[in-house]
Every structure is written in structure tokens, then in C-alpha cells.
Amino acid sequence: MPVEVCCRSGARFGESPTSLCLDGQWVPVSEVIRAWHEPTGLGFVVRLADGRVGRLAYERLTDQWHLVQFSLPGLAPRVPEGGNE
């Protein structure tokens, strides 16, 4: 599902997501649990301030962020094998 994401960028674009918009409300990211590079872009597992955990993907070709998977507090989403950290 496409999602709006605010992120901190340093030497590279999208180094650390800081918040995402869900149902019209911006929710802060409290922790980046894991980050990796994929051939098509970037991947992140993040914990939101309300405890929910989600997997975000950024696609360079389309310049879009997607919420790939979302889970309840305390449950980690599945991370693809072979992701480069």
C-alpha cells in the first residue's frame, strides 16, 4: 500500500524514516529495527511510537514508499532473506 514517509537523509536519500502518514495522521517512528538495500530500493522494519511494527519499502524507479507489511505491537513483520544491511 502506498504511504507518505518523512525521512532523515545524510549521505544518501532515505537513510532513516522519521514518521509515516496512516489514515491521515502522522505517526512518529520510534525505532528503525532493521535497514537494508534491495536492487530496486531500500527496505526498513520500523517501530512506531504507538508500538505497531511495519515493513517499509522505497522504490527508486517510481520514487514511492510502500507499507509492505504491518503487525500489532510486539509482533515483528517477516523480513525477506538476503536483504543487504
Side-chain angles (χ1 to χ4, degrees), residues 22-45:
L22 298 173
D23 299 322
Q25 300 290 320
W26 285 95
V27 182
V29 171
S30 62
E31 176 185 10
V32 175
I33 298 169
R34 183 166 179 214
W36 65 94
H37 294 274
E38 297 181 345
T40 58
L42 305 170
F44 297 91
V45 174

Side-chain angles (χ1 to χ4, degrees), residues 12-82:
R12 291 179 284 203
F13 173 77
E15 285 186 3
S16 181
T18 57
S19 61
L20 57 129
C21 190
L22 298 173
D23 299 322
Q25 300 290 320
W26 285 95
V27 182
V29 171
S30 62
E31 176 185 10
V32 175
I33 298 169
R34 183 166 179 214
W36 65 94
H37 294 274
E38 297 181 345
T40 58
L42 305 170
F44 297 91
V45 174
V46 297
R47 183 177 325 280
L48 303 180
D50 62 9
R52 294 180 287 178
V53 175
R55 184 161 63 99
L56 295 171
Y58 173 72
E59 294 180 20
R60 285 187 193 103
L61 185 62
T62 61
D63 190 29
Q64 286 191 338
W65 287 90
H66 295 272
L67 183 59
V68 179
Q69 191 175 16
F70 206 58
S71 62
L72 298 173
L75 299 175
R78 188 177 150 284
V79 176
E81 293 293 323

